[in-house]
Amino acid sequence: MTSNIANFDAVSLPVMKVYDFPTGPYPTRVRIALAEKGLQSRVEFVIVDLYKGEHKRPEFIAGKNYSGTLPVLELDDGTCIAECTAITEYLDALDGVPTLTGSTPREKGIVHMMSKRAELELLDAISVYFHHGTPGLGPTVETYQNPEWGFRQRDKALRGMRYFDAVLQGQPYVAGETFSMADITVIGGLIFAMLVELPVPEEYEALHAWYGRMLQRESVRNQPVFANP
Ligand SMILES: N[C@@H](CCC(=O)N[C@@H](CS)C(=O)NCC(=O)O)C(=O)O
């Protein structure tokens, strides 16, 4: 996955805003993408307190993200882009250095398939477990909880870990031979697993080894969630 755009100058980019909760697994995905691409200095981070329910306030829903979730990228013209995948695509399209979402049609297809799979089978499942099977963000925010659904999703996430272990037995990165958005999504899943104290079973050695390598990347190891989970 090499870029064909070599003369990108990040300093010439207008400053963007990211509505953020620094230790949140999903915002961390965007923080990692920004770090990989060397774009952190072009972003003003605006903290939205999830535990106070600031992401559910009418002005945030109406003005920033209808879904009431973080992160949200706001461009200098006021356009708001939510959803980690969409934000990563936007950042990648600015320059393509390094490419996180694939260069060729085949690479793009595989990166998106594996990233979506990481959401469905791991990250989103753990998120449901967090919101339904644990106290989640607390009683002010969690106005409806269905523990049975939460525990089913926890078990789904464990099956997801087994799947990604099998994938990583055969290739160095989640989408193949190169680090990509799909790796970042699985990293988000394992961060969420850490936060909800759902350990990766020891026998998933390939997943453990891959995660060890991911934690050595500067873009990953410097994330606030590891300093202050
Ligand atoms: N599909 C969204 C999910 C975002 C998400 O769930 N973010 C978490 C932050 S870690 C959130 O805002 N949770 C608050 C809630 O669901 O009330 C994405 O990819 O950005």
Side-chain angles (χ1 to χ4, degrees), residues 24-27 29 50 55-56 69-71 83-84 119 131 137:
Y26 292 85
R29 286 170 65 188
L50 293 174
H55 58 303
K56 300 296 184 201
T69 57
L70 299 173
E83 299 298 328
C84 293
E119 289 182 341
H131 290 292
L137 294 171

Side-chain angles (χ1 to χ4, degrees), residues 33-229:
L34 287 165
E36 286 285 336
K37 298 186 74 73
L39 289 172
Q40 287 149 307
S41 67
R42 308 316 299 156
V43 169
E44 176 194 340
F45 290 95
V46 181
I47 293 181
V48 177
D49 193 331
L50 293 174
Y51 285 88
K52 290 186 182 155
E54 290 177 353
H55 58 303
K56 300 296 184 201
R57 293 197 178 145
E59 58 273 22
F60 187 83
I61 303 262
K64 307 301 177 197
N65 180 12
Y66 168 80
S67 300
T69 57
L70 299 173
V72 180
L73 175 72
E74 184 174 327
L75 309 183
D76 67 325
D77 68 356
T79 302
C80 286
I81 302 175
E83 299 298 328
C84 293
T85 303
I87 295 169
T88 308
E89 274 290 352
Y90 176 85
L91 297 174
D92 230 18
L94 290 175
D95 66 326
V97 183
T99 306
L100 297 175
T101 56
S103 300
T104 66
R106 181 181 181 279
E107 285 172 359
K108 283 188 169 294
I110 290 175
V111 167
H112 276 274
M113 174 182 72
M114 295 307 284
S115 185
K116 185 66 188 175
R117 223 170 248 174
E119 289 182 341
L120 289 172
E121 309 298 335
L122 192 62
L123 177 55
D124 292 354
I126 297 175
S127 177
V128 174
Y129 168 56
F130 172 70
H131 290 292
H132 290 274
T134 80
L137 294 171
T140 314
V141 182
E142 309 291 359
T143 52
Y144 168 74
Q145 290 196 293
N146 182 335
E148 192 196 341
W149 178 235
F151 288 116
R152 286 176 77 113
Q153 293 298 306
R154 179 199 58 187
D155 295 345
K156 178 179 180 177
L158 289 169
R159 290 193 299 275
M161 289 176 187
R162 187 176 61 203
Y163 167 71
F164 285 106
D165 179 65
V167 167
L168 289 161
Q169 284 173 30
Q171 58 195 44
Y173 296 96
V174 172
E177 298 300 315
T178 310
F179 180 84
S180 75
M181 176 173 69
D183 293 284
I184 298 177
T185 311
V186 177
I187 292 166
L190 295 194
I191 287 172
F192 219 155
M194 171 185 78
L195 295 178
V196 299
E197 298 178 2
L198 184 67
V200 176
E202 273 184 27
E203 66 262 33
Y204 299 160
E205 289 177 12
L207 184 55
H208 276 289
W210 165 87
Y211 196 38
R213 292 198 306 275
M214 295 302 103
L215 291 172
Q216 283 170 21
R217 293 179 87 90
E218 209 181 311
S219 65
V220 179
R221 71 163 183 264
N222 288 340
Q223 290 305 321
V225 68
F226 296 116
N228 180 24

